[in-house]
Amino acid sequence: MMTIVFGVPLSYLGLQLLIGMQNGAFYALLSLGLAVIFGMLNFINFAHGAQYMLGAFATWIALKFFGVPYWWSLLLVPLVIGGIGIIIERTLLRWLYELDHLYGLLLTFGLILIIEGIMTQLFGSSGLSYEKPNLLSGAQRIPLGALTGNDRDFMMMPIYRLWIIAISIVLCAATWYVIERTRLGSYLRAATENPALVRSFGINVSVLVMLTYGFAILSVLPMFVYPVFLMKAMCFALFASAFNLLLGFTGLLSFGHAAFFGFSSYISAHALREWGVSPEFAIFISTLGSAALGLVSGFIAIRRQGIYFAMITLAMSQMVYFAAVQMPFTGGEDGIQGVQRGNLFGFIDLSNNINAYFFVLAIFVFGLYAIWRTINSPFGQILKAIRENEPRAVSLGYRVDHFKLMAFTISAALAGMAGGTKALVVQVASLTDITWQMSGEVVLMTLLGGMGTVFGPAIGAVVVITLQNYLNAFGSMVSIVIGIIFVVCVLLFRRGIVGELQAYFAARKNTSKGA
């Protein structure tokens, strides 16, 4: 006979307790978000529950209209809702921080009415069903004999309820750790409490917000744009950013950077197709291969400067090109075709474009972070000094050739990472990626986006790849248009897109100060 507690079977009592813990977990996460906003911004967000509702509807929309499964929605939807939150904060809430709390309360109450009205018009008020993923279906039988002394006592615990409780505890702990124990949390707390002081330490608060919003946009783009195109654009964006580390921040114009991009593409494709290695390992060894090639090439090339340096890198790139034509494993003019993407870490199927997209996005973000970290390190400052005045850097005791060689090797390694990833994305390694024309294109991407800026080359790469994609049907028109853009950039647009924007806003800021 089942044990009775307060007139209720123990299993029923345990189930009700579990349901209460599940609801408490929801409220804990809601309270956590509200507490973070109020604690860091001193602002009462009355629309927090409406954002909770938006997250639920976004998850349903992602599954029904875009086929995004629950597990990916756990990553995507918070970024989407976070992006919406940034838009609301930048356009509406920021103007009320210095006013009484009542105004923020009233504004967010108005937002509740708007959001609720929109959702009711679109989806009605009866609710929508969402199927649980297979991994969270079913229930776990939990014996209670150890508690009651009756071996027949047990309770059935739905797995998805246990999952909600567990993930809530993890998220609460992770949020506390990030805010209280990490440098990022220190920046966020400082940025909200005293933005002017934070800026005085060289931390750009606007850039911090922009990066958060930009990452949110990148996370949802594959729902609206063909993922393979986006992955290809990110590969070239990383390639251009790696090249910019050498040209924009060290002052070395390499006309043979396609050697590293194409060489690693062949290594990655061959490793995936012939050796059957995992995709992450293929990219790793292709990056190492490019770093080694960059070390050897750089050791020879950095002994010269200016046009001589550019010609030496071009000559060595052509040597790599002709080696790729002759070597049997490269497939000659046919290249290596039919490359299988394989399974990331042995269980994530990269033949699914969405899975592959987020893998490439992770590589892209890692590569950009590595470049940013290099630029803003003491090593990066020395590179800038070499670019601005090499004789003075020598007079200060710096071994200039060693710093140039290190910069060349890092740039080659990151270019190789981009090339190895591209072979995985398009499932082909060909001579196109190793020709001198590719070396010219990466120069164009860098000039167009903004040489010497962090994100300019990535933007320039996206523009060029987009033009190539949409003008591809016109044949030789692609080369003509890109050639014209190249000439215009050299003559009239030397600062590039990002450089011109920075100059415009700087001039506007100086004008406003003068007024």
Side-chain angles (χ1 to χ4, degrees), residues 5 15 33 46 70 101 119 139 149 172 187-188 194 199 208 223 241 249 319 358 366 405 411 446 471-472 503 511:
V5 179
L15 183 59
F46 207 65
Y70 170 77
H101 291 315
M119 293 296 104
C172 288
Y187 289 164
L188 291 174
N194 195 334
R199 291 189 183 96
L208 195 63
M223 296 183 183
S241 299
F249 294 97
M319 292 170 61
F358 283 101
F366 170 78
L405 180 58
S411 177
T446 304
L471 295 178
N472 192 46
T511 303

Side-chain angles (χ1 to χ4, degrees), residues 229-479:
F229 169 76
L230 293 174
M231 289 187 280
K232 183 179 176 182
M234 284 192 290
C235 291
F236 279 101
L238 179 56
F239 180 29
S241 299
F243 175 76
N244 183 53
L245 177 63
L246 193 64
L247 175 62
F249 294 97
T250 314
L252 297 175
L253 173 59
S254 167
F255 238 107
H257 241 54
F260 313 117
F261 185 75
F263 178 69
S264 66
S265 176
Y266 277 110
I267 293 177
S268 179
H270 182 76
L272 286 166
R273 183 177 177 182
E274 302 299 332
W275 301 343
V277 302
S278 60
E280 68 274 13
F281 186 70
I283 293 174
F284 175 72
I285 60 176
S286 65
T287 303
L288 285 182
S290 289
L293 180 62
L295 182 63
V296 174
S297 302
F299 182 77
I300 298 172
I302 61 169
R303 299 174 184 274
R304 294 293 180 266
Q305 297 178 357
I307 189 65
Y308 302 104
F309 175 85
M311 291 299 101
I312 290 173
T313 56
L314 175 60
M316 288 190 292
S317 176
Q318 288 301 100
M319 292 170 61
V320 175
Y321 170 80
F322 286 113
V325 173
Q326 298 296 326
M327 287 182 178
F329 83 92
T330 62
E333 295 184 356
D334 294 328
I336 302 176
Q337 303 181 19
V339 177
Q340 299 298 315
R341 293 178 180 170
N343 294 323
L344 180 64
F345 305 126
F347 65 92
I348 301 176
D349 183 13
L350 294 187
S351 62
N352 181 307
N353 283 335
I354 296 296
N355 294 347
Y357 173 83
F358 283 101
F359 176 51
V360 175
L361 177 61
I363 293 174
F364 173 66
V365 171
F366 170 78
L368 279 188
Y369 174 76
I371 293 169
W372 175 84
R373 191 70 186 88
T374 301
I375 292 168
N376 291 281
S377 67
F379 171 72
Q381 300 306 312
I382 295 172
L383 293 183
K384 294 175 187 177
I386 294 171
R387 176 194 65 189
E388 296 298 330
N389 195 329
E390 184 174 334
R392 181 161 186 169
V394 172
S395 69
L396 291 173
Y398 292 113
R399 303 178 68 179
V400 171
D401 285 350
H402 287 200
F403 284 99
K404 285 183 179 180
L405 180 58
M406 290 172 65
F408 195 96
T409 305
I410 294 171
S411 177
L414 291 171
M417 182 187 294
T421 306
K422 179 181 177 287
L424 178 77
V425 169
V426 299
Q427 300 177 273
V428 171
S430 66
L431 292 174
T432 304
D433 294 333
I434 210 169
T435 59
W436 65 267
Q437 289 93 337
M438 180 60 69
S439 294
E441 283 186 17
V442 76
V443 176
L444 170 61
M445 293 172 185
T446 304
L447 289 176
L448 179 61
M451 181 178 64
T453 63
V454 178
F455 301 106
I459 294 173
V462 172
V463 171
V464 171
I465 295 302
T466 303
L467 286 174
Q468 290 177 341
N469 184 66
Y470 285 99
L471 295 178
N472 192 46
F474 297 97
S476 60
M477 281 294 295
V478 177
S479 299

